[in-house]
Amino acid sequence: MPVTNETVVVTGLGATTPLGGDVATTWQAMLRGESGIRAVEDDWAAELPVRIAGRLRQEPAGLLDRVQARRMDRCEQIALVAAREAWADAGRPGVEPERLAVVIGTGTGGVLTLLGQDDVLEASGVRKVSPHTVPMLMANGPAAWVSMELGARGGAHTPVSACASGAEAIAMGLDLIRLGRADVVVAGGTEACVHPLPLAGFAQAKAHSTRNDDPAGASRPFDTGRDGLVIGEGAGVVVLERAGFAAARGARPHAVLAGAGVTSDAHHITAAHPEGQVRAMRLALSTAGLTPADIAHVHAHATSTQLGDLVEARSVAEAIGTHPSVTATKSMTGHLFGAAGAIGAIAAILAVRDGAVPAVRNLVDLDPQVDLDVVTGTPRHAPVPAALANAFGFGGHNASLVFTAAG
């Protein structure tokens, strides 16, 4: 089928985060300015320089069949939990299996299984290694599990683009529908890597906050006192539909996915380049048929690192301007890596739907180099006809999504 410009709508939302086990709980916690970041009290963390993380508020294993859960990595479990919520929220669309696709991104995949089974191998030998190790550690596992759950035969895809993975998955979903390859796409991101090795790695790179005595105050995007990101875990999934298909079955969309921009910097393995971010935002606007003046709100990637926050602030000002309200929910959830872009997208969708923008937590002293209208103190309630959500990742991956009001 030819490329079309048919409208793509968001009909389902699902999430499990450090703030709550579903979308509604997470969203209300964001609006209240709560924190999901806590001390890591496991024995293995005692000697680490970093002992804080955004762990899930609700454990996933209890929501799944016991045997099934034992055969899944944690990132697969939470992807399935979020996908089930999104699918139910969308009203379980009656779509032909060949017209239903899945795109679930991740940054590290089943890293907990990989590291855990390596420990088993070293300590107890090959006979103790789980026979389920490979399907548990493979990065495409979450997409595969979700596709099997829903009977999706239109493709199961896995963008692995560091912290841009979840947003790239949603952008790919838009492309699949506009290319005529699917009527419905279940898209999002998942991550579960709270483990001593990633914590130690980010600490050694001087990229992780060391506010061990103040977990709730550790992630502080755009604040002059920010000292690094905070690792978090979670999953976010949306159901995208061809507008005509959704209307025919009487679905009520949360918002319209109007455009997406995906670029790469080709610059540095960890340092972002503003030109790539600007291009991603401008491409998203172009595909949405909007101008910068149309954007009322930006959900910033804003990880709470010294350089990263400034690069993005300047990029937003150049690509969009200084007029939109800006928020950064990583101040509450921590950085969910492969899931971050999907959770950010959901927050932007809800801002459009509800006319509400959460305030950035822990923002006491706005960096004077950040020339943006950052929401502080209390949520801002005002119509949001169009919002843009950013997600940027190591390797120079940039993804921007534009959402507009439905109907």
Side-chain angles (χ1 to χ4, degrees):
M1 297 179 66
V3 176
T4 70
N5 289 317
E6 182 165 4
T7 301
V8 174
V9 294
V10 182
T11 58
L13 304 174
T16 181
T17 74
L19 294 173
D22 56 30
V23 169
T25 305
T26 296
W27 180 234
Q28 290 306 311
M30 286 179 175
L31 292 175
R32 290 191 296 268
E34 297 179 3
S35 176
I37 298 170
R38 298 170 181 80
V40 177
E41 298 178 345
D42 305 65
D43 291 342
W44 52 255
E47 301 302 320
L48 291 177
V50 170
R51 299 184 297 279
I52 53 176
R55 282 180 153 168
L56 291 177
R57 183 62 59 93
Q58 182 174 16
E59 284 298 309
L63 303 174
L64 304 170
D65 174 81
R66 183 176 62 86
V67 174
Q68 181 186 43
R70 290 181 60 188
R71 295 178 177 180
M72 303 173 73
D73 183 82
R74 188 173 178 85
C75 79
E76 297 172 335
Q77 293 176 356
I78 59 180
L80 188 56
V81 167
R84 284 178 175 176
E85 181 190 4
W87 192 248
D89 184 44
R92 297 181 172 84
V95 58
E96 291 294 323
E98 292 76 17
R99 301 290 298 166
L100 172 61
V102 171
V103 191
I104 305 293
T106 182
T108 62
V111 67
L112 296 183
T113 293
L114 175 64
L115 296 173
Q117 289 301 305
D118 182 65
D119 289 343
V120 170
L121 177 64
E122 294 293 330
S124 304
V126 66
R127 291 184 178 275
K128 294 297 183 180
V129 172
S130 169
H132 304 292
T133 295
V134 173
M136 289 172 70
L137 67 82
M138 62 191 193
N140 63 303
W145 277 106
V146 172
S147 70
M148 291 186 289
E149 172 87 5
L150 303 179
R153 298 179 182 176
H157 308 278
T158 305
V160 179
S161 305
C163 311
S165 301
E168 279 202 22
I170 295 171
M172 183 180 290
L174 176 67
D175 287 344
L176 288 171
I177 293 174
R178 287 186 169 173
L179 287 168
R181 295 177 181 171
D183 293 315
V184 181
V185 179
V186 178
T190 185
E191 204 75 87
C193 61
V194 179
H195 180 280
L197 185 59
L199 282 168
F202 276 106
Q204 288 296 98
K206 307 299 182 185
H208 201 291
S209 172
T210 55
R211 294 175 184 263
N212 296 315
D213 57 343
D214 183 21
S219 182
R220 40 199 325 114
F222 301 128
D223 189 83
T224 55
R226 65 191 184 277
D227 69 332
L229 60 84
V230 177
I231 284 182
E233 59 181 358
V237 174
V238 302
V239 176
L240 307 175
E241 297 189 42
R242 183 168 54 82
F245 185 88
R249 67 182 190 85
R252 283 189 172 184
H254 294 285
V256 175
L257 174 54
V262 177
T263 68
S264 53
D265 292 346
H267 168 65
H268 191 276
I269 196 65
T270 57
H273 194 288
E275 190 269 342
Q277 297 182 3
V278 169
R279 284 194 300 114
M281 286 182 266
R282 287 177 173 167
L283 183 58
L285 286 175
S286 176
T287 60
L290 299 178
T291 68
D294 295 317
I295 300 299
H297 169 58
V298 172
H299 185 283
H301 182 64
T303 63
S304 187
T305 60
Q306 281 289 338
L307 181 59
D309 286 8
L310 290 183
V311 170
E312 183 179 12
R314 292 165 183 158
S315 298
V316 170
E318 180 178 345
I320 308 297
T322 59
H323 63 278
S325 63
V326 176
T327 196
T329 57
K330 291 181 183 67
S331 60
M332 295 173 265
T333 64
H335 193 351
L336 310 187
F337 301 133
I343 296 299
I346 289 171
I349 290 165
L350 293 172
V352 169
R353 188 193 72 182
D354 297 348
V357 175
V360 179
R361 182 183 170 87
N362 302 320
L363 183 46
V364 177
D365 183 23
L366 180 66
D367 190 318
Q369 298 182 74
V370 176
D371 184 20
L372 297 173
D373 181 16
V374 183
V375 180
T376 62
T378 59
R380 188 173 300 177
H381 296 275
V384 180
L388 181 142
N390 281 330
F392 309 128
F394 279 1
H397 302 278
N398 310 299
S400 298
L401 307 170
V402 172
F403 299 95
T404 57

